[in-house]
Amino acid sequence: MTKADGVVIALALVVLGYLYAAFWSNAKGAEAAILVDGVETQRWPLTQDRRIDITGRMGISQLEIKGGKVRFVASPCSGKQCVHAGRLHRSGEFAACLPNGVSVYVVGSATEFDAINF
């Protein structure tokens, strides 16, 4: 490896660090938007802890807002991928129970970028 290779690698690391800090790290969410069959039905602030029952195609999905994060607690679907999605708190994060038609996404002042945006 030459000295020029080291300079290029160092410069690339600095640029990648800047891009991460500028686009991916500070997109904190403020609200949880709840959709049923693709239509937004409710919006709740992430600052108020609560449990929400949402009626979908198969039955009731239960969401929990706690500590500035939202998550699926229970759902009538068989796979429970929505429950395993975990706690969402960054703007743009999304979880859905597709068989039940219920989804939730986090809304904030800025949307966090991910691979889907490219």
Side-chain angles (χ1 to χ4, degrees):
M1 183 161 88
T2 67
K3 191 175 182 180
D5 292 336
V7 170
V8 169
I9 291 171
L11 183 61
L13 290 174
V14 168
V15 169
L16 286 174
Y18 167 76
L19 290 174
Y20 177 80
F23 294 110
W24 282 282
S25 63
N26 295 320
K28 199 155 195 181
E31 295 178 317
I34 301 166
L35 293 86
V36 177
D37 289 327
V39 177
E40 186 175 320
T41 59
Q42 301 177 37
R43 203 176 263 227
W44 296 96
L46 293 177
T47 55
Q48 297 175 359
D49 294 352
R50 69 180 69 234
R51 284 204 177 211
I52 307 159
D53 290 332
I54 309 295
T55 303
R57 290 182 222 139
M58 297 176 67
I60 295 176
S61 291
Q62 190 174 65
L63 297 170
E64 175 186 61
I65 298 175
K66 186 175 181 182
K69 299 176 181 180
V70 63
R71 71 181 182 117
F72 276 90
V73 176
S75 196
C77 60
S78 60
K80 306 283 189 233
Q81 283 87 2
C82 54
V83 175
H84 298 300
R87 301 176 194 280
L88 313 175
H89 67 280
R90 293 191 172 172
S91 181
E93 288 185 319
F94 179 85
C97 179
L98 295 179
N100 201 25
V102 176
S103 57
V104 61
Y105 70 95
V106 179
V107 180
S109 59
T111 301
E112 184 175 75
F113 289 95
D114 63 15
I116 296 172
N117 296 104
F118 299 109

